[in-house]
């Protein structure tokens, strides 16, 4: 599910930085309420649109299981992923930039990010799909847009966060240099802000695209009430193959999936990582670097060079000259007199106040209506949600525990033995790179065959996607334990227990924590598809919050969907704040191994 | 009369606190930079040197007062200045030439002209042939040369430098300084004034035509004088060392204080109630204080601070906190730029470690309000622990957030050394020292 470069440890710093910034902030409850209000309002809008358009015809698409259809399906899926990624990148940069430079909205926007990250994306699925189909009735593009927007909501937040926290951590003197030499905002973005945040963005892009595959597999084919949404793609191919029990097609599908991911890694991420090396903000050159022959080729290509010189070069020059001219013209203008300036300011504040009132009023109105939906919920349904929440809570934590039980020893062994790492790491990366949702149908069929229920099976499914986060973080943590500490432990003949208690566990603690936080979020999200599954016209489900959400989606009960989503987001946010945040603080202060 | 380029009028900087208190960083200050002079701004850490520089360049707006550029307020003027930064502040993803070109790009110059000027400037600072290198491939000295080239390529009227040589080794710094001076004296560069912030006294005397010395708490000008020595200046010359010595005297001389209070019948000084606000603890370690006292003892109990700094190859930021701490604890006295060891200081320096701790303990409780309060608070509480937050909030009224944290860190460091108290870092609480806890427990068992 995730692919990690060998230089993972270097990236991790930025990543934790981003995370820790969220955790250290303490927002007043008001902000959270604002965010919740806006979220409810959006939900209401989407549902209204969806209800209005419900019932338009949709063309039926059949998924061919022939391997020959696979390239076309793979192509469709890839296009969806990258469109969503492009959208995410633009949005993330805009969002991060606005948050970092607008004091007024900064706190609200960052609180919003924190909560949006915790909302299970898959519960947006019905709303988004219906709305999109409604916008483009009887056309495939509606479903396509729905899928793209859904992937977008799954991958954008961590990128926005990374960009924001990079902007915030630009060294003061670099900023001052840009100011004193009169960089225009454009030049500042191109020569300071984007380069400085490049590494964080690249790393988060890799995570995001991997996450995108996860969601794409889930949303290419799903049922909503009596309606069957289908998109030709790898995900629908795999699901159809699994539900018809076509083993050959399953193998072909998985093979294509792995091939795509390995190719993306080699042809795209590696060159990009090698290229982004120059954006590393460091004083000395490191010896170990990711190399990419492809990048070398591109950089030394004469044709590309001259293409660049004739297109990008002149355009950039024109922009810079225009900007400088503008600035000179503005400087030449006489300073506005005090009275007109004050009048202008007064107008501005009036406009701003009116806009604020309108926004607040409409948010309140829509949030109120969304909440009034909740009144339709019956007591028994409410009960079901609470029991489901408890069950899923237990399941998520069991999954984390089981995953930790094998990944911690394995990760430490790999981290401590470079030779083992050389063999195990690429294998683990490939295993991790297959989106868990692609494997779900296959694993489920196997489970049914051996007679296991979904109650236990869903734990396995959650682990499938999330264990890798823990494994890779533990490997990085074990590698980061200084050799002299390990030597000291050997020298003093530490017993195995003592070794684990005084050296290894405290040493990997901050890394393990990062892994667990990510895994926990992932497991909650996965519960939506793991606890409820439709196979060959039969529905498998177990007690759980995810099952409640999926079932509500299935039967179109929006009030239950809304409440269950609120409960899930609330639980994830609460756990983050009550459990992970204090632990992070502990990790930052006490278990930090400083060189 | 030379033309004034930048003039600061009653500029000050303060941070408003939630309570009506405000933390004054720089008290109202007048200052000007005139054509044809190199001005050096000297001061201990915490005197607001960099803040003052940033206000003069227009990077930071004064809390009150106004800065004028050719008699026009900086906000409305087209200010032509450049800064050479302590950390170089080069863009690591741009090559040397691109770094130097960046300010010209902002001015909208066309690429050929830009490249021409950048190469010429790189040639001037001795970086010919390095234009395609990335900053991280260069040594510190070379990187600062790029910093100079980038600053000079915009032909600034005033060149500001914020401790430009302090990140470099001694030889490289010396080399760069003399080259800069050469450029300035030969008028190779069109710059009309240079303003350098430094904490290196010799550097100031070597370069400057005028030296301004700042004091701290809050930052203020202590002296502002011209240096009439001819270039090249000789470090060993009597006039040179006299100037350096003079600056040390200014820096170490206590500022005007009320006369000493009479002694109590037991021979202790009466405590000044007016001084119930916290002294600023100098950030020195007990080990450093002991080391300085031992050296003083070797020098017959008295030495010139300038000579001490020279012998130890310390800059003022390294030495002054230790001298201040020794003075605060009553282990030494400073008179006329000389440090003189006191009898307690001599005893401290001569004792073995346990006795040293005891002397330090007595001196600390006697002289340091914060430590005294911490000890009293622990004694007063039934559970014998006090949260750090309690003192944090009190110090916060008087110091900035960063300074508050540093004050607490120093207090914890001193208190732990003197075994006045212990500090539980995970709970952020002050607790009784180990031995007292044990004796208390023993007493309880007996009872």
């Amino acid at each position: 599910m995730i692919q990690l470069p060998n230089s993972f440890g270097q990236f991790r710093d930025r990543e934790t930085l981003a995370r820790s910034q969220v955790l250290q902030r303490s927002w007043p409850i008001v902000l959270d309420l604002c965010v919740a209000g806006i979220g409810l309002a959006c939900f209401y809008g989407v549902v209204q649109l969806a209800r209005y358009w419900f019932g338009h015809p949709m063309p039926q698409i059949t998924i061919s299981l022939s391997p020959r259809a696979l390239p076309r399906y793979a192509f469709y899926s890839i296009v969806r992923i990258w469109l969503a990624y492009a959208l995410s990148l633009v949005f993330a940069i805009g969002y991060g930039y606005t948050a970092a430079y607008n004091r007024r909205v900064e706190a609200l926007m960052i609180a919003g990010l924190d909560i949006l990250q915790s909302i299970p994306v898959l519960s947006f699925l019905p709303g988004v799909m219906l709305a999109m189909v409604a916008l483009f009735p009887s056309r495939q593009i509606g479903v396509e847009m729905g899928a793209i927007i859904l992937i977008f909501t799954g991958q954008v937040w961590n990128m926005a966060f990374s960009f924001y926290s990079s902007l915030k951590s630009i060294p003061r003197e670099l900023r001052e240099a840009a100011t004193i030499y009169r960089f225009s905002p454009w030049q500042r973005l191109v020569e300071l802000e984007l380069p400085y945040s490049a590494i964080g963005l690249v790393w988060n892009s890799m995570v995001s695209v991997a996450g995108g595959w996860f969601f794409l597999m889930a949303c290419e084919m799903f049922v909503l009430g009596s309606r069957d949404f289908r998109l030709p793609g790898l995900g629908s191919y795999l699901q159809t193959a699994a539900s018809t029990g076509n083993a050959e097609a399953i193998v072909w599908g998985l093979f294509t999936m792995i091939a795509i991911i390995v190719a993306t890694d080699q042809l795209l991420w590696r060159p990009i990582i090698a290229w982004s090396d120059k954006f590393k903000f460091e004083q000395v050159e490191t010896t170990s670097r990711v190399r990419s022959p492809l990048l070398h080729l591109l950089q030394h290509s004469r044709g590309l060079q001259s293409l660049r010189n004739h297109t990008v070069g002149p355009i950039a020059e024109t922009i810079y000259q225009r900007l400088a001219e503008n600035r000179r013209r503005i400087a030449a203008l006489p300073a506005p007199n005090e009275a007109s300036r004050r009048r202008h300011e007064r107008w501005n504040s009036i406009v701003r106040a009116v806009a604020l009132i309108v926004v607040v009023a409409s948010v309140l109105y829509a949030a109120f209506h969304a909440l009034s939906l909740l009144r339709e919920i019956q007591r028994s349904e409410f009960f079901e949600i609470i029991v489901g929440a408890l069950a899923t809570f237990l399941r998520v934590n069991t999954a984390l525990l089981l995953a930790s039980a094998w990944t911690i020893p394995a990760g430490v062994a790999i981290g401590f033995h470079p030779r083992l790492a050389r063999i195990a790491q690429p294998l683990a990366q490939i295993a991790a790179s297959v989106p868990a949702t692609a494997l779900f149908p296959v694993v489920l069929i196997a489970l049914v065959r051996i007679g296991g229920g979904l109650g236990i099976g869903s734990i396995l499914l959650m682990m499938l996607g999330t264990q890798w986060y823990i494994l890779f973080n533990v490997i990085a943590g074990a590698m980061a334990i200084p050799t002299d500490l390990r030597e000291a432990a050997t020298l003093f003949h530490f017993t195995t227990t003592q070794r684990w208690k005084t050296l290894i566990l405290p040493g990997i603690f901050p890394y393990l924590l990062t892994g667990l936080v990510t895994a926990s979020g992932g497991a909650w999200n996965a519960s939506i598809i793991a606890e409820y599954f439709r196979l060959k016209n039969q529905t498998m489900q177990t007690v759980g919050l995810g099952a409640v959400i999926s079932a509500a989606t299935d039967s179109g009960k929006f009030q239950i969907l809304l409440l269950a989503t609120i409960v899930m987001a609330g639980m994830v946010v609460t756990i983050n704040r009550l459990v992970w945040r204090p632990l992070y603080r502990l990790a930052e202060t006490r278990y930090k191994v400083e060189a | 009369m030379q033309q004034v380029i930048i003039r600061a009028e009653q500029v000050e900087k303060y941070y408003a606190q939630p309570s009506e208190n405000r933390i004054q960083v720089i008290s109202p200050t007048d200052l000007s930079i005139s054509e044809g002079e190199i001005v050096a701004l000297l001061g201990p850490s915490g005197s607001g040197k960099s803040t003052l520089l940033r206000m003069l360049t227009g990077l930071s707006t004064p809390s009150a007062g106004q800065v004028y550029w050719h008699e026009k307020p900086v906000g409305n003027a087209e200010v032509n200045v450049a800064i050479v930064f302590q950390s170089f502040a080069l863009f690591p993803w741009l090559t040397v030439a691109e770094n130097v070109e960046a300010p010209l790009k902002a001015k909208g110059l066309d690429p050929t002209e830009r490249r021409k000027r950048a190469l010429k400037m790189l040639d001037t600072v001795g970086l010919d042939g390095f234009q395609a290198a990335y900053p991280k491939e260069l040594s510190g000295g070379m990187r600062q040369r790029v910093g100079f080239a980038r600053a000079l390529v915009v032909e600034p009227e005033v060149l500001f430098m914020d401790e430009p040589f302090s990140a470099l080794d001694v030889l490289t710094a010396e080399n760069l300084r003399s080259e800069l001076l050469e450029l300035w004296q030969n008028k190779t560069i069109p710059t009309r004034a240079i303003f350098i912030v430094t904490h290196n006294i010799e550097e100031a005397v070597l370069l400057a035509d005028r030296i301004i010395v700042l004091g701290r708490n809050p930052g203020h000008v202590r002296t502002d004088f011209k240096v009439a020595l001819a270039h090249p200046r000789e470090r060993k010359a009597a006039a040179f060392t006299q100037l350096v010595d003079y600056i040390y005297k200014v820096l170490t001389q206590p500022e005007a204080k009320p006369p000493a209070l009479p002694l109590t019948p037991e021979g202790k000084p009466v405590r000044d109630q007016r001084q119930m606000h916290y002294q600023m603890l100098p950030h020195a370690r007990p080990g450093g204080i002991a080391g300085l006292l031992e050296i003083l003892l070797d020098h017959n109990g008295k030495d010139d601070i300038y000579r001490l700094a020279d012998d130890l190859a310390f800059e003022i930021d390294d030495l002054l906190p230790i001298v201040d701490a020794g003075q605060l604890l009553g282990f030494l006295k400073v008179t006329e730029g000389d440090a003189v060891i006191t009898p307690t200081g001599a005893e401290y320096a001569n004792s073995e470690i346990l006795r040293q701790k005891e002397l330090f303990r007595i001196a600390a409780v006697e002289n340091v309000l914060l430590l005294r309060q911490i000890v009293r608070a622990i004694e007063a509480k039934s559970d014998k622990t006090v949260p750090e937050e309690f003192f944090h909030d009190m110090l916060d009224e008087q110091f900035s957030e960063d300074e508050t944290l540093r004050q607490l860190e120093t207090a914890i460091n001193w208190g732990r050394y003197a075994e006045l108290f212990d500090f539980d870092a995970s709970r952020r609480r002050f607790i009784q020292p180990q031995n007292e806890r044990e004796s208390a427990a023993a007493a309880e068992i007996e009872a």
Side-chain angles (χ1 to χ4, degrees):
Chain A
M1 201 176 144
I2 48 168
Q3 320 145 51
L4 296 174
N6 296 329
S7 48
F8 175 62
Q10 290 155 7
F11 290 112
R12 211 198 71 93
D13 290 341
R14 283 289 171 87
E15 172 73 355
T16 20
L17 180 77
R19 199 66 219 179
S20 60
Q21 254 183 350
V22 145
L23 291 164
Q24 272 160 19
R25 252 160 221 284
S26 56
W27 305 291
I29 186 88
V30 186
L31 282 178
D32 290 358
L33 285 178
C34 289
V35 174
I38 294 169
L40 285 171
C42 294
F43 179 85
Y44 176 71
V46 168
V47 166
Q48 279 307 308
L49 254 178
R51 279 199 174 159
Y52 182 62
W53 288 100
F54 202 83
H56 274 271
M58 272 283 302
Q60 193 63 252
I61 285 174
T62 43
I63 304 293
S64 152
L65 283 184
S66 145
R68 228 169 294 158
L70 260 177
R72 189 162 51 91
Y73 287 160
F75 173 74
Y76 287 149
S77 293
I78 291 172
V79 168
R80 267 168 223 139
I81 289 274
W82 290 103
L83 275 179
Y85 172 73
L87 197 64
S88 303
L89 187 63
V90 172
F91 181 88
I93 288 174
Y95 195 96
Y97 199 88
T98 318
Y101 286 108
N102 268 319
R103 282 266 172 76
R104 271 174 229 265
V105 291
E106 180 176 359
L108 182 68
M109 285 179 85
I110 296 309
L113 267 189
D114 194 28
I115 290 179
L116 283 167
Q117 269 183 330
S118 318
I119 292 183
V121 175
L122 289 170
S123 63
F124 283 154
L125 192 128
V128 170
M129 278 297 181
L130 291 177
M132 282 300 136
V133 172
L135 277 177
F136 305 93
S138 75
R139 251 182 255 162
Q140 193 60 28
I141 191 157
V143 192
E144 291 282 1
M145 297 268 289
I148 289 169
I149 288 177
L150 211 68
I151 303 169
F152 162 82
T153 50
Q155 60 185 192
V156 69
W157 313 121
N158 61 325
M159 289 165 63
F161 210 87
S162 154
F163 187 62
Y164 165 81
S165 66
S166 293
L167 284 185
K168 279 292 187 183
S169 57
I170 292 178
R172 192 180 71 151
E173 293 204 332
L174 277 188
R175 255 188 200 298
E176 288 177 343
T179 314
I180 206 82
Y181 296 121
R182 297 168 182 281
F183 282 18
S184 52
W186 168 253
Q187 191 177 6
R188 201 179 59 193
L189 182 72
V190 174
E191 289 194 338
L192 174 62
E193 288 154 349
L194 281 181
Y196 189 80
S197 40
I199 290 190
L201 272 181
V202 167
W203 158 236
N204 277 288
S205 297
M206 291 171 61
V207 173
S208 280
V209 170
W213 280 111
F214 181 88
F215 292 119
L216 185 66
M217 293 296 112
C219 71
E220 271 182 352
M221 189 168 169
F222 72 100
V223 180
L224 196 59
S226 57
R227 309 181 54 183
D228 195 353
F229 291 89
R230 242 176 240 192
L231 283 171
L234 254 183
S236 47
Y237 180 91
L238 274 170
Q239 279 193 41
T240 318
S243 58
T244 52
N246 186 336
E248 198 195 325
I250 291 178
V251 171
W252 273 111
L254 285 181
F255 174 76
T256 315
M257 181 82 247
I258 293 173
I260 290 173
I261 283 162
V262 171
T264 319
D265 188 50
Q266 288 299 316
L267 300 180
L268 199 76
W269 294 130
R270 279 185 81 83
I272 287 181
I273 290 169
W275 167 78
S276 72
D277 199 62
K278 75 171 182 175
F279 301 121
K280 214 171 274 170
F281 192 73
E282 58 181 9
Q283 298 304 316
V284 275
E285 210 161 0
T286 40
T287 42
S288 67
R289 283 164 54 182
V290 178
R291 276 168 220 290
S292 160
L294 186 68
L295 178 73
H296 187 84
L297 205 72
L298 289 176
Q299 277 176 336
H300 292 80
S301 142
R302 286 270 164 81
L304 273 180
Q305 185 91 32
S306 83
L307 188 71
R308 225 183 89 138
N309 287 345
H310 287 101
T311 53
V312 183
I315 293 172
E317 288 309 328
T318 326
I319 292 176
Y320 285 122
Q321 281 170 18
R322 283 276 162 77
L323 285 170
E325 255 168 49
N326 269 353
R327 197 167 54 77
R328 264 194 295 272
R329 219 182 29 238
I330 290 168
L333 288 178
N337 65 9
E338 195 63 9
S340 79
R341 201 174 56 85
R342 212 172 284 159
R343 207 167 337 120
H344 194 72
E345 247 167 43
R346 187 147 15 110
W347 261 111
N348 264 350
S349 55
I350 290 173
V351 169
R352 220 175 283 144
V354 169
L356 190 72
I357 290 169
V358 170
V359 168
V360 168
S362 40
V363 163
L364 281 180
Y365 174 82
F368 174 77
H369 276 268
L371 281 179
S372 66
L373 257 182
L374 294 183
R375 270 184 307 188
E376 294 167 26
I377 295 176
Q378 280 143 23
R379 189 171 291 247
S380 63
E381 291 168 333
F382 185 73
F383 230 70
E384 196 189 353
I385 289 177
I386 297 299
V387 172
L390 273 177
T392 305
F393 177 77
L394 287 178
R395 216 169 270 134
V396 165
N397 287 315
T398 316
L400 286 188
L401 217 67
L402 288 177
S404 307
W406 84 264
T407 52
I408 293 177
V412 168
I414 294 174
F416 276 5
H417 300 100
R419 211 179 297 161
L420 183 62
R422 229 169 295 145
I423 307 164
Q425 219 163 355
L427 287 180
Q429 274 175 22
I430 290 180
S433 67
V434 181
T437 35
L439 294 175
F440 270 19
V442 185
V443 174
L444 266 180
I445 299 287
L447 269 177
V448 173
R449 289 256 169 87
I450 58 171
L454 204 55
I456 308 283
S458 59
I459 295 179
L460 187 71
L461 292 175
M462 285 179 190
M463 278 177 65
L464 210 60
T466 54
Q467 56 196 350
W468 308 110
Y469 290 120
I470 310 178
L471 179 68
F472 285 118
N473 274 294
V474 170
I475 294 177
M479 281 176 167
I481 293 179
T483 331
D484 41 4
L485 286 188
R486 278 166 55 194
E487 284 168 352
T490 319
L491 204 64
F492 297 132
H493 299 291
F494 277 17
T495 59
T496 315
T497 341
Q498 205 180 3
R499 221 175 128 87
W500 277 90
K501 263 171 68 180
T502 53
L503 175 69
I504 299 173
L505 286 179
I508 61 171
F509 183 72
Y511 294 83
L512 180 62
L513 203 62
T514 311
L516 283 175
V517 172
T518 327
S520 157
W524 277 101
N525 225 328
S527 75
I528 295 178
I529 23 186
E531 291 175 349
Y532 183 97
F533 216 87
R534 281 169 75 111
L535 263 183
K536 288 188 233 166
N537 302 326
Q538 75 178 56
T539 309
M540 301 172 66
Q541 68 168 315
T542 176
V543 181
L545 196 55
V548 173
I549 289 179
S550 293
T553 306
D554 226 352
S555 54
K557 287 185 186 157
F558 290 115
Q559 67 277 22
I560 296 182
L561 176 63
L562 177 61
L563 183 62
T565 307
I566 291 175
V567 169
M568 190 180 277
M571 284 184 80
V572 174
V573 171
T574 314
I575 293 169
N576 272 347
R577 296 200 179 166
L578 292 187
V579 181
W580 301 124
R581 195 180 299 187
L583 283 176
Y584 251 114
R585 218 165 280 147
L586 190 66
E588 302 259 291
T589 51
R590 193 145 159 212
Y591 294 111
K592 200 168 173 183
V593 181
E594 269 151 328
Chain B
M1 182 67 203
Q2 270 146 344
Q3 201 195 345
V4 173
I5 304 176
I6 296 181
R7 188 167 60 83
E9 199 179 270
Q10 292 291 299
V11 290
E12 54 180 317
K13 193 85 180 174
Y14 51 79
Y15 298 106
Q17 287 296 96
S19 59
E20 67 267 38
N21 268 2
R22 67 183 193 197
I23 290 159
Q24 190 84 24
V25 182
I26 295 175
S27 46
T29 303
D30 289 324
L31 206 156
S32 66
I33 302 171
S34 307
E35 199 182 315
E37 62 178 5
I38 300 183
V39 183
L41 187 66
L42 259 175
S45 61
S47 57
K49 300 182 295 265
S50 291
T51 316
L52 201 54
L53 177 139
R54 279 162 178 77
M55 291 198 292
L56 289 174
T57 55
L59 272 180
S60 140
T61 326
S63 310
Q66 182 61 269
V67 180
Y68 297 94
W69 170 262
H70 288 294
E71 298 308 320
K72 266 164 73 181
V74 274
N76 304 340
E78 186 79 339
V79 180
N80 180 17
V81 297
I83 302 182
V84 175
F85 294 93
Q86 180 179 12
S87 67
F88 320 136
L90 301 175
F91 301 108
W93 38 84
L94 300 183
T95 62
V96 166
E98 284 166 345
N99 260 296
V100 179
E101 277 181 48
L104 300 177
K105 213 169 177 180
K107 285 186 157 195
L109 259 62
D110 70 84
T112 30
E113 176 67 18
R114 228 159 53 199
R115 182 53 50 129
K116 206 179 88 193
R117 287 202 200 175
L119 289 183
K120 189 166 157 253
M121 193 44 75
L122 284 172
D123 197 21
T124 311
V125 299
L127 277 177
D128 207 6
F130 283 94
Q131 57 268 23
Y134 283 96
K136 62 182 152 200
E137 298 169 56
L138 305 180
S139 68
M142 302 269 243
R143 265 182 248 169
Q144 194 54 301
R145 278 171 199 266
V146 183
F148 272 109
R150 186 178 62 179
L152 292 172
V153 82
V154 297
E155 310 198 329
E157 213 171 315
V158 183
L159 175 65
F160 283 89
M161 298 193 276
D162 187 8
E163 306 201 3
F165 308 114
S166 66
L168 306 175
D169 64 86
V170 184
L171 289 178
T172 313
E174 187 67 35
N175 184 10
L176 264 179
R177 262 196 295 269
S178 60
E179 282 185 39
L180 172 74
L181 214 51
E182 211 169 291
L183 289 179
W184 167 253
Q185 283 169 342
N186 297 343
K187 307 250 183 263
T188 322
I189 47 176
T191 301
R192 293 164 70 196
I194 293 180
F195 185 92
I196 175 170
V197 163
T198 174
H199 60 236
N200 183 329
I201 296 177
E202 288 200 3
E203 179 173 293
V205 179
L206 266 175
L207 291 175
D209 301 311
R210 208 177 115 205
I211 295 178
I212 300 170
V213 180
L214 290 187
R216 59 181 170 186
N217 297 333
H220 61 279
V221 175
R222 294 192 69 171
T223 177
D224 178 347
F225 61 93
K226 296 225 171 202
V227 181
L229 304 176
H231 286 286
R233 293 174 182 167
E234 188 54 55
R235 278 169 197 273
K236 298 286 171 215
F240 190 98
T241 51
Q242 271 170 15
L243 259 183
V244 173
D245 199 36
Y246 166 71
I247 294 171
Y248 266 109
K249 274 181 194 157
V250 173
L251 279 169
T252 51
Q253 195 173 48
E255 309 207 11
K257 258 187 183 172
L261 288 155
L263 301 183
T264 58
E266 301 95 67
K268 285 184 175 175
V270 174
R271 222 164 254 148
D272 185 351
Q273 290 305 312
R274 197 176 41 85
Q275 294 227 334
M276 272 312 275
H277 67 79
Y278 297 100
Q279 316 101 321
M280 174 118 150
L281 292 187
H283 307 295
R285 295 185 170 274
I289 302 169
L292 178 69
L293 290 174
E294 277 165 34
I295 290 170
L296 267 181
L297 215 54
D298 284 348
H299 294 200
N300 298 321
K302 179 182 170 187
D303 207 349
D304 204 324
I305 294 175
Y306 159 51
R307 285 248 306 280
L308 279 174
D310 207 34
D311 284 356
L312 299 170
F314 271 12
E315 293 194 349
I316 49 174
D317 271 1
D318 305 321
L319 188 60
L320 281 190
I322 305 177
V323 173
D324 285 350
Q327 222 175 344
L328 176 64
L329 292 167
F331 290 157
L332 59 83
K333 277 206 175 81
V334 176
T335 42
E336 296 286 306
D338 288 343
V340 186
I341 200 163
T342 61
T344 30
E347 193 192 347
Y348 178 77
N350 277 326
S351 306
E352 41 75 48
I353 179 75
L354 289 178
R355 176 72 185 143
Q356 272 192 342
K357 285 191 173 208
E358 200 180 323
L359 287 169
F360 195 95
R361 187 152 61 226
I362 296 165
V365 173
E366 182 59 37
N367 296 304
V368 183
L369 175 64
L370 178 58
L371 291 175
R372 194 160 61 228
Q373 283 185 341
I374 295 174
V375 171
R376 295 241 172 103
I378 295 174
E379 277 167 10
K381 287 278 293 284
S382 58
D383 62 349
K384 304 292 178 204
T385 78
V386 188
E388 183 194 25
E389 230 181 344
F390 179 67
F391 296 101
H392 183 284
D393 290 349
M394 296 211 289
L395 288 168
D396 220 10
E397 290 290 303
Q398 203 181 316
F399 300 108
S400 66
E401 178 60 26
D402 284 351
E403 191 53 51
T404 300
L405 292 178
R406 257 180 292 157
Q407 289 290 318
L408 279 169
E409 194 190 327
T410 306
I412 291 167
N413 192 355
W414 287 17
R416 276 175 165 167
Y417 167 79
E419 294 174 28
L420 282 169
F421 50 78
D422 212 339
F423 184 71
D424 182 343
S426 57
R427 291 189 304 148
R428 308 302 301 174
R429 286 179 91 91
F430 294 101
I431 52 179
Q432 261 187 329
Q434 184 76 31
N435 48 9
E436 280 180 39
R437 258 179 295 165
E438 275 163 12
S439 57
E444 239 170 69
I445 292 163
E446 270 172 41

